[in-house]
């Protein structure tokens, strides 16, 4: 597991956020799961299997987050698997995780078996009236690319080109669906009652640096007073090593200001672009002579700054503001550069 996923998982383990995530996805925002009814469950699942030689082999899988939800008669396991990249075998991955949870439940029940069992129960290692605790797993995907991986096991099969035969075979092939939560493309953010609504809203405009700065400024009451876990999670969401490292040594601070951190990163990028453009302009000017170089150096300076800022993800409005040009003028400069 990478550092980004670790930071996101630590943030999502907060029971208020975890409950809000499942309430929004499962119950369309209705408060059904209460934070106080959530309890951490072991994140390591192991199952003992026999290999080809008949030897017992222990297989282990590690869950990102799994909670035990107990509400009166309802008992359920709720799990989250964080993904910053598309997983093209996600249905198989989730199926293995969930089935190993079920296998572990059967093993535990077998250890607690009563002295008298029918032959069928003994063979099954499962009593006639036994029930499994359901497991619901969400894939929490926060990558920038739109998910184009399979959403069910059937999509991972090649059943040939004969459509009628394929449909018939599907009836006999067990399927397994995944519950994908693509947080950058979620609709109905008002279903979230916690700060998930603010964070997911931020992620949906994070590809435009200018829009991101505007969004953060409009929610500065929240972003100026972040706890350390949220701060590091935002570094993972934005794929920003600078955010993940800023103020790490000041862990005793109760609140961290993301507004200032983003502004510093923005200004550093602008200054780097300006300096690179200035150096390029000077070099080109010297090569073409003093008088001609001054004129062309200024033009080259603007071209290089505009191109550098565009690569960094700044909007045309932001580039125009820095270079004191019109948006049309910047568009023409970038068109010439391209």
């Amino acid at each position: 597991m990478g550092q980004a996923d670790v930071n996101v998982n630590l943030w999502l383990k907060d029971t208020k956020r975890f409950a809000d995530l499942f309430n929004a996805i499962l119950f369309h925002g209705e408060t059904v799961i209460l934070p106080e009814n959530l309890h951490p469950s072991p994140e390591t699942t192991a199952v003992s299997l026999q290999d080809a030689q008949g030897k017992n082999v222990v297989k282990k899988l590690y869950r990102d987050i799994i909670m035990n939800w107990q509400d009166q008669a309802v008992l359920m396991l709720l799990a989250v698997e964080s993904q910053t990249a598309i997983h093209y075998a996600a249905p198989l991955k989730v199926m293995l995780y969930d089935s190993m949870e079920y296998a572990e439940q059967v093993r535990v029940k077998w250890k607690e078996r009563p002295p008298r069992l029918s032959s069928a129960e003994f063979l099954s290692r499962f009593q006639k009236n036994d029930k499994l605790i359901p497991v619901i797993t969400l894939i929490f995907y926060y990558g920038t690319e739109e998910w184009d991986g399979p959403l069910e096991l059937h999509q991972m099969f090649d059943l040939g080109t004969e459509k009628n035969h394929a449909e018939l075979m599907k009836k006999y092939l067990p399927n397994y669906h995944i519950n994908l939560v693509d947080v950058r493309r979620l609709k109905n953010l008002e279903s979230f009652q916690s700060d998930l609504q603010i964070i997911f809203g931020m992620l949906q405009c994070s590809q435009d640096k200018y829009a991101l700065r505007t969004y953060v400024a409009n929610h500065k009451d929240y972003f100026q007073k972040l706890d350390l876990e949220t701060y590091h999670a935002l570094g993972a969401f934005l794929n920003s090593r600078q955010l993940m490292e800023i103020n790490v040594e000041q862990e005793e601070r109760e609140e961290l200001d993301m507004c200032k951190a983003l502004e510093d990163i923005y200004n550093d990028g602008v200054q780097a672009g300006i300096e690179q453009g200035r150096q390029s302009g000077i070099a080109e000017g010297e090569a073409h002579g003093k008088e001609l170089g001054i004129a062309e150096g200024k033009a080259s300076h603007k071209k290089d700054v505009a191109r550098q800022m565009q690569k960094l993800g700044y909007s045309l409005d932001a580039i125009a503001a820095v270079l004191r040009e019109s948006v049309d003028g910047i568009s023409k400069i970038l068109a010439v550069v391209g």
Side-chain angles (χ1 to χ4, degrees):
M1 188 188 305
Q3 186 60 42
D5 283 348
V6 170
N7 289 340
V8 170
N9 292 337
L10 286 172
W11 180 72
L12 272 179
K13 279 183 181 178
D14 176 87
T15 53
K16 290 182 180 178
R17 294 190 185 105
F18 193 88
D20 190 31
L21 176 65
F22 276 86
N23 281 329
I25 301 302
L26 270 61
F27 304 110
H28 308 292
E30 182 182 352
T31 304
V32 176
I33 302 170
L34 301 177
E36 56 267 29
N37 292 335
L38 291 171
H39 306 282
S41 186
E43 293 167 355
T44 303
T45 304
V47 64
S48 180
L49 303 171
Q50 285 191 342
D51 61 16
Q53 287 73 40
K55 296 180 180 179
N56 286 336
V57 178
V58 176
K59 298 290 185 181
K60 290 185 178 181
L61 289 178
Y62 300 89
R63 287 280 196 176
D64 285 350
I65 314 172
I66 186 165
M67 296 273 189
N68 186 318
W69 174 39
Q70 176 76 63
D71 181 19
Q72 299 178 358
V74 177
L75 178 59
M76 189 171 291
L77 289 170
L78 306 176
V80 167
E81 296 299 323
S82 298
Q83 286 291 146
T84 186
I86 299 168
H87 196 304
Y88 289 108
L92 181 59
K93 173 185 176 181
V94 174
M95 183 178 70
L96 285 172
Y97 282 174
D98 292 351
S99 59
M100 284 185 69
E101 288 287 348
Y102 294 132
E104 175 64 8
Q105 292 179 38
V106 171
R107 186 190 70 82
V108 171
K109 286 181 179 295
W110 180 247
K111 288 179 64 177
E112 301 169 350
R113 68 189 184 277
R116 293 184 179 181
L117 294 172
S118 69
S119 59
E121 288 175 326
F122 187 85
L123 179 64
S124 306
R125 296 192 170 225
F126 200 69
Q127 295 182 77
K128 180 179 179 180
N129 296 322
D130 278 346
K131 300 295 180 185
L132 293 174
I133 300 171
V135 182
I136 296 179
T137 300
L138 301 182
I139 290 188
F140 185 85
Y141 174 62
Y142 58 96
T144 56
E145 296 181 13
E146 187 169 356
W147 184 277
D148 61 355
L151 297 175
E152 59 179 39
L153 191 63
H154 276 182
Q155 293 175 351
M156 297 179 66
F157 297 140
D158 182 0
L159 299 177
T161 58
E162 180 56 53
K163 185 176 179 181
N164 290 336
H165 292 171
E167 291 302 318
L168 286 172
M169 285 188 285
K170 281 183 179 180
K171 292 181 180 181
Y172 298 94
L173 281 169
N175 201 4
Y176 211 86
H177 299 265
I178 62 172
N179 303 304
L180 179 69
V181 182
D182 188 344
V183 296
R184 292 181 186 269
R185 297 164 187 86
L186 279 175
K187 307 297 182 182
N188 303 320
L189 293 183
E190 62 275 7
S191 296
F192 297 95
Q193 307 302 319
S194 68
D195 61 349
L196 294 183
Q197 181 179 137
I198 296 177
I199 298 299
F200 294 168
M202 179 207 72
L203 287 178
Q204 294 187 4
C205 65
S206 62
Q207 294 302 100
D208 184 326
K209 294 286 197 308
Y210 182 76
L212 174 62
R213 292 175 70 223
T214 302
Y215 184 90
V216 170
N218 289 338
H219 296 82
K220 65 180 180 180
D221 289 344
Y222 173 78
F223 287 106
Q224 284 180 336
K225 299 178 180 180
L226 297 177
D227 59 75
L228 188 66
E229 287 182 352
T230 302
Y231 198 84
H232 287 170
L234 286 170
F237 287 140
L238 298 174
N239 194 28
S240 170
R241 183 169 295 277
Q242 289 172 275
L243 277 181
M244 293 176 71
E245 293 177 352
I246 289 175
N247 288 322
V248 169
E249 73 281 0
Q250 300 181 24
E251 294 191 11
E252 296 182 359
R253 290 183 54 179
E254 293 183 359
E255 296 176 345
L256 297 168
D257 187 350
M258 182 184 165
C259 298
K260 184 179 184 304
L262 279 181
E263 195 64 29
D264 290 344
I265 293 172
Y266 173 81
N267 289 334
D268 288 347
V270 172
Q271 291 302 319
I274 290 175
E275 179 60 23
Q276 181 175 340
R278 189 181 71 84
Q279 294 296 335
S280 177
I282 291 173
E284 189 173 334
E286 289 177 349
H288 289 80
K290 183 176 180 181
E291 184 176 351
L292 181 61
I294 291 174
E296 291 191 359
K298 288 180 179 179
S300 176
H301 160 72
K302 287 192 176 183
K303 290 178 184 178
D304 287 343
V305 171
R307 180 169 50 187
Q308 183 68 17
M309 290 183 71
Q310 185 185 46
K311 287 181 179 179
L312 290 171
Y314 296 107
S315 65
L316 291 179
D317 288 337
I319 299 172
V322 170
L323 297 180
R324 297 181 181 179
E325 287 276 355
S326 67
V327 173
D328 288 342
I330 293 299
S331 297
K332 292 177 180 177
I333 289 174
L334 290 174
V336 171
V337 171

